[in-house]
Structure formats: C-alpha cells, structure tokens
Amino acid sequence: MPAILEAESTLTDRYQTTVPESVRRALRLDKRDRIHYTIRPSGEVVLTRAESADEADPVLGQFLGFLADDIARHPARLQAVDRRFVQRLQSLTQGVDVDLDAPLSADDE
C-alpha cells in the first residue's frame, strides 16, 4: 500500500524522539496525548493516537482492526466511492439532525 505521509525522527541517547509536526497534525496529537504502537509480523510499525479508556469501544476497535488487516492483505480490493453514490446519500440524509451524544431511548438500547 503506498504511503500517504512519510516522516523521520531521530532517537536521543535516552531513546526518546520528537513526533514530527506532520505526523502530529495527521493524528491530531496534542501535548500529553498518548500514542499507541502496533508492530506487525513484517516489522512494520503502525503509530496511532491512543484513545482514552472512556472513548475506546472494544467492538468497534476489533472491527476497525479487521478492516485494517483486510486492507493490508488485499489492497487491490479497495475501490473509490462513486460521486453519484455520495450525492445520493447526502440527498437521503439532508436535513436530518442527529445528536450522537444524546442518550438512547429504552426502545433503542
């Protein structure tokens, strides 16, 4: 899979490094944020912004991990989303307001 962004940094004598600005912006990292490292069997390291325990959803995390693995194994299967499909979705949801932070009703749980 082609890289979207590449950057380098140097390890200090104390094995510390500065995360390059381009990576901080891409991952929306701020001071005191935590970083998560995933080391794949190939030796590839995936660096992501670690979510706090309050924000982490284990089911969503497993699903996103499944998607990431599938994309890594079969990059040729990726397809661009058709512009007409996006426009159709936008027309179907136009004017629909959703508050993702609102509690679910008893019927929706």
Side-chain angles (χ1 to χ4, degrees):
M1 181 183 307
I4 296 172
L5 171 75
E6 291 186 7
E8 291 183 5
S9 63
T10 303
L11 281 177
T12 67
D13 292 335
R14 295 179 58 200
Y15 297 100
Q16 296 175 334
T17 190
T18 299
V19 178
E21 179 186 4
S22 57
V23 175
R24 292 193 313 264
R25 273 189 278 123
L27 297 178
R28 298 180 325 275
L29 291 171
D30 209 350
K31 292 178 182 177
R32 310 299 300 162
D33 280 345
R34 296 178 53 81
I35 298 171
H36 177 81
Y37 300 87
T38 303
I39 302 173
R40 300 220 168 121
S42 65
E44 179 183 42
V45 177
V46 179
L47 179 110
T48 55
R49 182 177 191 263
E51 299 296 329
S52 71
D54 295 340
E55 298 174 14
D57 180 337
V59 175
L60 180 60
Q62 288 178 351
F63 176 68
L64 293 176
F66 164 78
L67 286 178
D69 289 343
D70 190 59
I71 290 169
R73 287 190 192 124
H74 309 286
R77 292 183 184 172
L78 289 177
Q79 295 180 0
V81 177
D82 181 74
R83 179 179 47 83
R84 289 174 294 168
F85 179 66
V86 171
Q87 290 171 339
R88 175 75 174 134
L89 290 175
Q90 289 172 334
S91 73
L92 291 171
T93 58
Q94 185 175 9
V96 176
D97 291 325
V98 176
D99 181 0
L100 296 177
D101 295 321
L104 293 174
S105 69
D107 294 335
D108 293 332
E109 286 192 31

Short mmCIF file of all heavy atoms in Angstrom, two decimals, residues 17 36 41 46-47 50 101 103:
data_model
loop_
_atom_site.label_atom_id
_atom_site.label_comp_id
_atom_site.label_asym_id
_atom_site.label_seq_id
_atom_site.Cartn_x
_atom_site.Cartn_y
_atom_site.Cartn_z
N THR A 17 12.27 10.53 21.22
CA THR A 17 12.20 11.16 19.91
C THR A 17 11.10 12.21 19.92
O THR A 17 10.23 12.18 20.79
CB THR A 17 11.95 10.13 18.79
OG1 THR A 17 12.12 10.76 17.53
CG2 THR A 17 10.57 9.52 18.88
N HIS A 36 -0.19 4.98 20.50
CA HIS A 36 -0.28 3.52 20.51
C HIS A 36 0.57 2.99 19.35
O HIS A 36 0.50 3.50 18.24
CB HIS A 36 -1.74 3.09 20.32
CG HIS A 36 -1.91 1.61 20.24
ND1 HIS A 36 -1.96 0.81 21.35
CD2 HIS A 36 -2.04 0.79 19.18
CE1 HIS A 36 -2.10 -0.44 20.98
NE2 HIS A 36 -2.16 -0.48 19.66
N PRO A 41 3.94 -8.52 12.06
CA PRO A 41 4.94 -9.57 11.86
C PRO A 41 6.03 -9.19 10.86
O PRO A 41 7.16 -9.65 10.97
CB PRO A 41 4.12 -10.77 11.35
CG PRO A 41 2.73 -10.52 11.85
CD PRO A 41 2.56 -9.03 11.88
N VAL A 46 2.91 0.54 13.19
CA VAL A 46 1.79 1.44 12.95
C VAL A 46 1.63 2.29 14.20
O VAL A 46 1.47 1.77 15.30
CB VAL A 46 0.49 0.67 12.65
CG1 VAL A 46 -0.67 1.62 12.43
CG2 VAL A 46 0.68 -0.25 11.45
N LEU A 47 1.70 3.59 14.02
CA LEU A 47 1.59 4.54 15.12
C LEU A 47 0.23 5.20 15.02
O LEU A 47 -0.14 5.74 13.97
CB LEU A 47 2.70 5.59 14.97
CG LEU A 47 2.73 6.68 16.01
CD1 LEU A 47 3.96 6.47 16.88
CD2 LEU A 47 2.81 8.03 15.34
N ALA A 50 -3.67 7.03 20.75
CA ALA A 50 -4.32 6.14 21.70
C ALA A 50 -5.57 6.82 22.23
O ALA A 50 -5.55 8.01 22.55
CB ALA A 50 -3.38 5.79 22.85
N ASP A 101 -24.38 12.38 21.03
CA ASP A 101 -24.16 12.35 22.47
C ASP A 101 -25.45 12.18 23.27
O ASP A 101 -25.41 12.02 24.48
CB ASP A 101 -23.43 13.62 22.92
CG ASP A 101 -22.04 13.72 22.33
OD1 ASP A 101 -21.37 12.67 22.26
OD2 ASP A 101 -21.63 14.82 21.95
N PRO A 103 -28.59 10.44 24.96
CA PRO A 103 -28.81 9.06 25.43
C PRO A 103 -29.87 8.37 24.57
O PRO A 103 -30.79 9.01 24.05
CB PRO A 103 -29.29 9.24 26.87
CG PRO A 103 -29.75 10.66 26.97
CD PRO A 103 -29.02 11.44 25.92
#
